C-alpha cells in the first residue's frame, strides 16, 4: 500500500487497511470506536482521520468533516477542500498531510463544541507525534485553538492571519479557513492565503523566519 517517495517517506492514508506501523493501526481502531461525544457518534457513517504521508513536513489542520467528507471518509473533499487542494498545488507543495480537529462530523455542520474539541484532542496529539511535521498550517479558529489558549470564539482570524507561532516541536502558521476564502471571493484574501501557503513551503525548507519577505 505504500509508494516510496524517498527513502524515509511512506505514503499511506489512515483509512487503508494494510498498515505496517502498529501505532497507527491502533490509533485508527480507537478513533473508529470512540464514543466520547454522544451527539457526534450517534449517527456517524464514517470517521475522517486524515490523509497523507507519514512522516510529513507540512500538516494542514482544519475544523471538522462536512457531509462529503463523512460520506467518503476523506478530509477536505468538498467545495472548500477543492479550493484548498488547488491552492496547495499552486503553492508548489506536495507530500503534505491533512487533518481535522474533530474526526466526526458535527450535525448540520455546526461548529465544534468546547468539550468535543477537548475529547478529540488526544487523537490529534498522537497523530502529530506520528507525523512529526515541521510546519502546521492552522486553517481557521478551531484549528488555531489547538495552539492558542482560551475560547476559540475569541480568536480573530482576520487579525492574526499570517502570524507564525514558534513552538518547540513545530511552527504553526495561522491563516483563514478555506471556506472563508471561498465565501469572500476577495482577491486580497485569496492572495494572502496563497502567501501563507507559500510561507509553509519556505518554512518546511528550513528558511529562518527573519529572512522571509
Ligand atoms: N472543512 C474542514 O474544516 N475540514 C474538512 O475536512 C472539510 C471542510
Amino acid at each position: 500500500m505504500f509508494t516510496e517517495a524517498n527513502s524515509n517517506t511512506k505514503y499511506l492514508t489512515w483509512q487503508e487497511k494494510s498498515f505496517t506501523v502498529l501505532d497507527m493501526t491502533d490509533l485508527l481502531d480507537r478513533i473508529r470506536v470512540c464514543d466520547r461525544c454522544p451527539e457526534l457518534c450517534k449517527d456517524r457513517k464514517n470517521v475522517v482521520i486524515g490523509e497523507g504521508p507519514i512522516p510529513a513536513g507540512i500538516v494542514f489542520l482544519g475544523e471538522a468533516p462536512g457531509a462529503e467528507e463523512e460520506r467518503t471518509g476523506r478530509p477536505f473533499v468538498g467545495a472548500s477542500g477543492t479550493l484548498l487542494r488547488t491552492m496547495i498545488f499552486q503553492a508548489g507543495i506536495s507530500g503534505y498531510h491533512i487533518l481535522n480537529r474533530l474526526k466526526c462530523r458535527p450535525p448540520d455542520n455546526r461548529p465544534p463544541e468546547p468539550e468535543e474539541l477537548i475529547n478529540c484532542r488526544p487523537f490529534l496529539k498522537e497523530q502529530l507525534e506520528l507525523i512529526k511535521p515541521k510546519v502546521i498550517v492552522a486553517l481557521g479558529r478551531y484549528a488555531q485553538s489547538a495552539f492558542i489558549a482560551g475560547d476559540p470564539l475569541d480568536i480573530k482570524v482576520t487579525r492574526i492571519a499570517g502570524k507564525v507561532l514558534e513552538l518547540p516541536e513545530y511552527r504553526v502558521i495561522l491563516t483563514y479557513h478555506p471556506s472563508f476564502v471561498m465565501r469572500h471571493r476577495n482577491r486580497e484574501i485569496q492572495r494572502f492565503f496563497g502567501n501563507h501557503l507559500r510561507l509553509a513551503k519556505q518554512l518546511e525548507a528550513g528558511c529562518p523566519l527573519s529572512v522571509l519577505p
Side-chain angles (χ1 to χ4, degrees):
M1 270 308 133
F2 301 139
T3 321
E4 290 288 338
N6 62 43
S7 55
N8 42 18
T9 306
K10 292 184 174 60
Y11 278 80
L12 76 170
T13 65
W14 297 90
Q15 242 71 8
E16 284 171 6
K17 301 237 164 33
S18 55
F19 289 106
T20 55
V21 186
L22 276 177
D23 290 343
M24 284 180 223
T25 320
D26 175 53
L27 177 60
L28 181 63
D29 287 346
R30 281 181 288 124
I31 293 177
R32 279 199 176 121
V33 298
C34 175
D35 59 0
R36 285 178 216 165
C37 307
E39 210 191 338
L40 302 196
C41 66
K42 191 159 51 89
D43 300 316
R44 177 172 66 198
K45 293 178 193 69
N46 254 325
V47 295
V48 181
I49 295 149
E51 67 183 20
I54 296 165
I58 304 178
V59 161
F60 292 89
L61 180 63
E63 179 180 317
E68 193 55 16
E69 287 77 18
E70 186 185 43
R71 192 183 66 75
T72 57
R74 296 184 58 212
F76 282 105
V77 290
S80 69
T82 304
L83 175 73
L84 174 66
R85 288 172 188 266
T86 304
M87 290 189 71
I88 291 174
F89 176 78
Q90 287 167 348
I93 299 172
S94 58
Y96 55 90
H97 208 109
I98 309 193
L99 298 175
N100 280 307
R101 281 296 309 267
L102 298 188
K103 313 305 173 201
C104 302
R105 180 188 178 206
D108 303 319
N109 297 342
R110 66 154 170 73
E113 296 287 350
E115 62 276 17
E116 293 165 353
L117 294 169
I118 293 169
N119 291 343
C120 219
R121 193 183 174 93
F123 293 138
L124 175 66
K125 184 169 176 287
E126 279 189 63
Q127 288 182 296
L128 294 179
E129 281 166 5
L130 290 167
I131 299 166
K132 297 189 177 42
K134 286 191 192 162
V135 181
I136 297 176
V137 181
L139 306 161
R141 60 160 58 96
Y142 291 98
Q144 292 161 14
S145 73
F147 312 102
I148 299 173
D151 185 340
L153 294 176
D154 291 336
I155 297 178
K156 303 283 177 254
V157 178
T158 50
R159 219 175 283 163
I160 58 176
K163 294 204 182 316
V164 180
L165 305 179
E166 298 261 9
L167 302 184
E169 311 90 326
Y170 30 65
R171 286 155 154 184
V172 181
I173 300 176
L174 309 175
T175 188
Y176 315 103
H177 191 279
S179 63
F180 174 86
V181 180
M182 204 175 66
R183 271 200 314 277
H184 283 73
R185 288 276 168 224
N186 170 329
R187 292 209 165 225
E188 185 95 310
I189 298 278
Q190 290 214 356
R191 192 165 56 79
F192 289 155
F193 190 56
N195 288 345
H196 302 159
L197 302 186
R198 280 188 288 281
L199 176 61
K201 187 174 162 75
Q202 289 170 306
L203 293 183
E204 185 200 13
C207 290
L209 261 183
S210 52
V211 301
L212 292 170

